[in-house]
């Protein structure tokens, strides 16, 4: 095994995440606390020119506003339109 920055021994996780990214769609990554899920996702987003968003605790409208504010530079439609609900958000995204 080779050491890739601070990701020693995480080659299998990185391979599986890259495979999921290449297949498209929406994914969910789960696991115990403090094992590096966020670091892995941020690394892959940097490599793939992707977006990483950490959800905030709040009402669905607050969550949508926060997400749209974070992604509007990359997806300008969300600078002009704030969806009313998650269904509308994913329609706009598609």
């Amino acid at each position: 095994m080779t050491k890739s920055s601070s990701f020693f021994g995480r080659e299998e996780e990185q391979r599986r995440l890259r495979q999921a990214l290449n297949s498209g769609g929406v994914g969910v990554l789960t696991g115990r606390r403090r094992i590096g899920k966020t670091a892995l996702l941020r690394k892959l987003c940097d490599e793939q020119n992707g977006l990483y968003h950490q959800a905030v605790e709040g009402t669905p409208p607050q969550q949508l506003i926060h997400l749209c504010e974070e992604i509007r530079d990359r997806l300008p439609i969300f600078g002009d339109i704030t969806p009313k609900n998650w269904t509308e958000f994913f329609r706009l995204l598609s």
Side-chain angles (χ1 to χ4, degrees):
M1 285 184 221
T2 61
K3 185 173 180 178
S4 172
S5 67
S6 62
F7 292 98
F8 182 75
R10 302 300 294 264
E11 291 83 9
E12 177 61 18
E13 289 94 338
Q14 290 181 64
R15 184 193 66 75
R16 290 179 66 188
L17 288 169
R18 282 187 189 97
Q19 184 179 16
L21 284 172
N22 291 333
S23 64
V26 174
V28 176
L29 178 63
T30 63
R32 293 187 327 258
R33 295 182 61 207
R34 316 261 333 138
I35 61 171
K37 297 179 300 291
T38 298
L40 278 171
L41 289 174
R42 286 185 173 168
K43 179 179 188 281
L44 289 172
C45 284
D46 287 346
E47 289 176 7
Q48 304 283 325
N49 197 29
L51 294 168
Y52 176 82
H53 170 72
Q54 178 73 41
V56 295
E57 196 170 321
T59 66
Q62 290 170 323
Q63 293 169 343
L64 281 167
I65 290 168
H66 184 248
L67 176 59
C68 290
E69 287 172 351
E70 283 196 16
I71 65 175
R72 68 177 162 219
D73 289 341
R74 296 275 299 279
L75 301 168
I77 190 169
F78 293 108
D80 300 329
I81 300 170
T82 301
K84 295 179 189 89
N85 54 49
W86 288 106
T87 301
E88 189 175 309
F89 172 81
F90 286 109
R91 266 195 217 120
L92 291 167
L93 192 61
S94 67

